[in-house]
Amino acid sequence: DLREYQSQAIEDKYRFIFIDGLWVHIKEIDIKKRPILFAMGITKDGKQEIIAFKLAKGETEEEVTALLNDIYRRGLEGKQLKLIASDGAKGIRAAINMVYPYAKWQLCYVHKLRNLNKHIRHKINNRPKMMRQVRAIYDSKNRQQAIERFEKLCACWQEYEPYAIKCFKDGFFETLHYFEFGDDKNLISSTNHLERDLEEIRRRIKIQGYFKSDRSANLWIYGIISQVMQEQQPE
């Protein structure tokens, strides 16, 4: 079943793809952490499916390119693909540009918020107000309103939290592409849909502690994905 899943044709029907990773422990010579990269596709009618995963050596451009090349060769050429969402890892973005250069890249705004939260210097006094303003940016009615709120935030906090504002400005406009997709914008503004599945996978493998081999990890992950996707099927 695993071999079939990893080799079966993939229908070129996805408008959006989410990419994210889950780190697990593999026992080789020693126990090492390695990422499993996941690709979730979303169809025109909103159906969500984990279409591929790859136990990788790292979240590098080479490894993500290998994952995307695999789904491309299996049929997902991207004729309907409009946008790919991920975190801000440079390797992921470079791989997307290599394999699907005509798709827009959406920097997941939830990852952006986490990064900002981490870099706020005066957390007790400033964090609640700043995070409230930032969330308002992404709750805006349209892109122009989001930009206006962004500029107001920067002007308000530049003096008090210069490093946090600098980090937030970096790549900010890449987080706004979802405003171009009308009714779908709430569906694609972040990778939360995939992250929820990854959290469920993480919960179910927690009892393992670590995997004895690559084969063991692949079998477990495939089994859990199959079960999760089956549970999500409408009755």
Side-chain angles (χ1 to χ4, degrees):
D1 289 347
L2 172 60
R3 282 195 295 269
E4 182 180 352
Y5 174 80
Q6 293 180 325
S7 61
Q8 67 188 3
I10 300 175
E11 189 176 346
D12 195 14
K13 61 181 179 179
Y14 300 100
R15 293 188 72 208
F16 312 114
I17 292 177
F18 297 157
I19 299 173
D20 208 345
L22 170 69
W23 289 79
V24 297
H25 292 86
I26 309 288
K27 184 178 182 181
E28 296 170 333
I29 298 173
D30 196 0
I31 296 177
K32 297 179 180 179
K33 287 189 74 175
R34 289 173 58 188
I36 300 176
L37 305 174
F38 293 84
M40 169 182 275
I42 299 183
T43 62
K44 186 177 181 179
D45 59 3
K47 185 178 180 181
Q48 304 165 23
E49 302 170 322
I50 295 179
I51 52 180
F53 71 90
K54 174 181 172 55
L55 179 59
K57 296 177 181 177
E59 288 185 320
T60 63
E61 178 182 349
E62 180 182 8
E63 294 284 5
V64 182
T65 299
L67 174 68
L68 295 181
N69 273 333
D70 174 59
I71 63 176
Y72 184 91
R73 284 193 299 266
R74 289 160 57 194
L76 208 168
E77 296 180 1
K79 292 177 182 177
Q80 299 188 55
L81 185 59
K82 302 299 182 183
L83 178 143
I84 300 177
S86 74
D87 65 19
K90 292 181 179 178
I92 294 179
R93 185 175 182 182
I96 291 168
N97 289 337
M98 176 73 69
V99 183
Y100 295 111
Y102 299 110
K104 286 186 178 293
W105 173 64
Q106 164 78 32
L107 173 57
C108 170
Y109 86 85
V110 174
H111 285 85
K112 193 70 174 167
L113 263 62
R114 290 173 188 161
N115 187 55
L116 172 66
N117 192 18
K118 183 173 66 176
H119 289 104
I120 294 173
R121 183 179 175 189
H122 302 288
K123 298 191 185 301
I124 295 176
N125 292 330
N126 296 343
R127 181 164 58 183
K129 296 177 183 177
M130 284 189 75
M131 296 307 293
R132 192 159 52 244
Q133 286 181 256
V134 171
R135 291 189 183 94
I137 292 173
Y138 294 107
D139 287 336
S140 299
K141 295 179 180 178
N142 52 53
R143 188 175 186 274
Q144 183 56 42
Q145 186 181 63
I147 293 173
E148 290 171 0
R149 290 177 174 178
F150 164 72
E151 292 172 346
K152 184 178 179 180
L153 171 87
C154 293
C156 178
W157 294 103
Q158 179 66 48
E159 180 181 351
Y160 306 103
E161 294 284 353
Y163 186 64
I165 292 299
K166 178 179 180 298
C167 293
F168 189 59
K169 284 182 176 180
D170 185 25
F172 168 76
F173 291 98
E174 304 287 3
T175 68
L176 301 182
H177 291 309
Y178 68 96
F179 282 110
E180 301 172 28
F181 293 91
D183 293 339
D184 289 323
K185 68 184 182 70
N186 293 329
L187 180 68
I188 61 175
S189 59
S190 74
T191 60
N192 271 356
H193 303 286
L194 176 54
E195 287 191 53
R196 280 197 292 269
D197 283 352
L198 297 194
E199 186 57 39
E200 180 61 17
I201 293 170
R202 184 182 290 109
R203 185 185 70 81
R204 297 191 190 197
I205 65 175
K206 192 174 182 180
I207 58 171
Q208 278 292 100
Y210 65 87
F211 296 104
K212 293 182 178 180
S213 64
D214 292 7
R215 180 176 181 275
S216 173
N218 280 313
L219 287 168
W220 264 79
I221 296 302
Y222 169 69
I224 294 170
I225 288 174
S226 300
Q227 189 173 12
V228 169
M229 291 176 65
Q230 187 175 12
E231 291 168 357
Q232 293 174 349
Q233 292 292 327
E235 296 181 1

